[in-house]
Amino acid sequence: MQPHATTVTRLPFRVPFDWDGVHAYLAARAIPGVEITCPGLYARSVASGGTHGIVRVQRASDDALALTVVGPFHDAATRAARLFDLGVDPDAVGTALSADPFMAGLVEARPGMRVPGAWDGFELAVRAILGQQVSVAAATRLAGKLVAAFGMPLTPGGAVAEPGLTHVFPSPAALVDADVALALNMPRARGAAIRAVAAAVLAEPDLFDPGQGLAVAVARLKALRGIGDWTAHYVAMRALREADAMPTGDIGLLRALEDEAGRPSAKALEARSAAWRPWRAYAVLHLWAHDAARTVAAGPTKTRPKTKTIPEQGAGCGHRAARAKVSP
């Protein structure tokens, strides 16, 4: 087999850019066998038709990332830019959110917050279904089992390899008739939801295309079996790049806004979030980060174990430099 060509592309972004925040978010959710992370690096397997390859994203400079692509994947730069949310103007987001005094404090504490996206909409939707009513760590383990059971072994060109990357994520065709619930020992309704999403994307290839508009995107997703409001908004926020998506019933969001008067209701959050439009998805990331930090600061209780940071996967990291070398 002839080795695939390797290309390196500079991906510029507007500063400030919270690389550490995006990287940590992706690291905690990295699918075993498909994604790996270590300080300064995100890498994953990719597939297009019958061709497999690898992409690597590293911090290259103060205003750019470096994208290394192994294989003929011509849309890799676009996908990577969506994954790391490079197209947004952080000053516009920060100014809008800071009209709310509480949000102003969160923006000041975490400048350049981004909404981590997705390399592939179908992959993200399946990951979201696996994560329904379980922890991030449990969902990540389930995703790894799904890949091992139904994913194709990675076959990059020539001797090119990335330790820790072993498979490509299962395609819709691989899951449309699969008994996912049996293979993963999880509720049958959740397995049926994955099959429904696979069937839907095979019938409607544009299901996860960005640019549909929030109302249309959420309606299409909620029409599918097993997709409720939370999952629809989560997928819209990350995979479809809908900047105003907000899963208002999310317990972490409600907990983050809890004060002396108590915890707000989902209805109250919906009303308050009107002031954050059209950037509510960025408010979501700020509130989740605030909730996580406050939970850690509160320490353990008799009823709640201490929250720990999920360690990054170390496979394939070796002693890589924190920043990639790339031409301006």
Side-chain angles (χ1 to χ4, degrees):
M1 177 185 297
Q2 293 296 318
H4 288 321
T6 299
T7 60
V8 181
T9 304
R10 183 178 184 271
L11 302 178
F13 55 77
R14 296 179 178 90
V15 295
F17 177 70
D18 184 16
W19 161 267
D20 291 337
V22 176
H23 187 270
Y25 189 94
L26 296 175
R29 294 156 180 81
I31 301 172
V34 173
E35 301 172 289
I36 59 169
T37 61
C38 61
L41 172 71
Y42 167 88
R44 63 164 296 129
S45 62
V46 294
S48 179
T51 302
H52 296 174
I54 291 170
V55 298
R56 306 180 185 95
V57 180
Q58 296 170 271
R59 184 73 179 265
S61 66
D62 290 339
D63 63 354
L65 303 181
L67 169 69
T68 302
V69 181
V70 182
F73 301 101
H74 304 298
D75 64 344
T78 299
R79 288 175 181 257
R82 288 201 296 255
L83 178 62
F84 284 85
D85 195 13
L86 303 186
V88 72
D89 180 350
D91 290 334
V93 176
T95 298
L97 295 183
S98 294
D100 180 325
F102 178 77
M103 292 301 301
L106 302 189
V107 170
E108 182 179 4
R110 299 178 179 86
M113 178 75 80
R114 297 302 205 266
V115 176
W119 184 266
D120 178 80
F122 174 69
E123 176 184 302
L124 191 279
V126 171
R127 179 68 170 71
I129 293 169
L130 293 175
Q132 291 173 348
Q133 301 180 356
V134 300
S135 68
V136 170
T140 300
R141 289 193 294 270
L142 286 172
K145 291 181 179 179
L146 180 82
V147 167
F150 302 106
M152 290 186 64
L154 177 63
T155 55
V160 176
E162 186 79 36
L165 299 182
T166 61
H167 291 73
V168 294
F169 194 82
S171 66
L175 295 180
V176 68
D177 293 318
D179 194 341
V180 176
L182 179 63
L184 275 58
N185 189 27
M186 68 181 200
R188 300 202 67 81
R190 210 163 297 163
I194 290 174
R195 291 197 302 275
V197 171
V201 78
L202 288 172
E204 303 174 67
D206 68 341
L207 182 62
F208 297 110
D209 284 358
Q212 301 177 41
L214 181 60
V216 171
V218 167
R220 292 181 75 186
L221 291 169
K222 288 175 68 174
L224 303 178
R225 178 176 181 175
I227 302 293
D229 191 71
W230 186 96
T231 303
H233 274 266
Y234 182 77
V235 172
M237 180 174 72
R238 292 193 58 196
L240 306 184
R241 303 307 322 168
E242 292 293 341
D244 205 39
M246 169 169 270
T248 51
D250 183 86
I251 186 63
L253 301 181
L254 303 179
R255 193 167 53 216
L257 290 167
E258 186 172 358
D259 56 20
E260 296 80 2
R263 185 176 298 178
S265 65
K267 184 176 181 179
L269 173 56
E270 181 70 43
R272 180 172 181 177
S273 72
W276 307 334
R277 291 184 180 273
W279 305 110
R280 295 192 304 171
Y282 294 85
V284 169
L285 267 294
H286 277 293
L287 291 170
W288 279 346
H290 176 67
D291 177 57
R294 192 163 67 172
T295 300
V296 171
T301 68
K302 292 182 180 180
T303 58
R304 183 188 65 219
K306 184 176 180 180
T307 301
K308 297 182 179 179
T309 301
I310 299 174
E312 296 180 357
Q313 296 177 347
C317 294
H319 299 285
R320 293 182 185 276
R323 294 193 175 185
K325 302 298 184 182
V326 58
S327 301

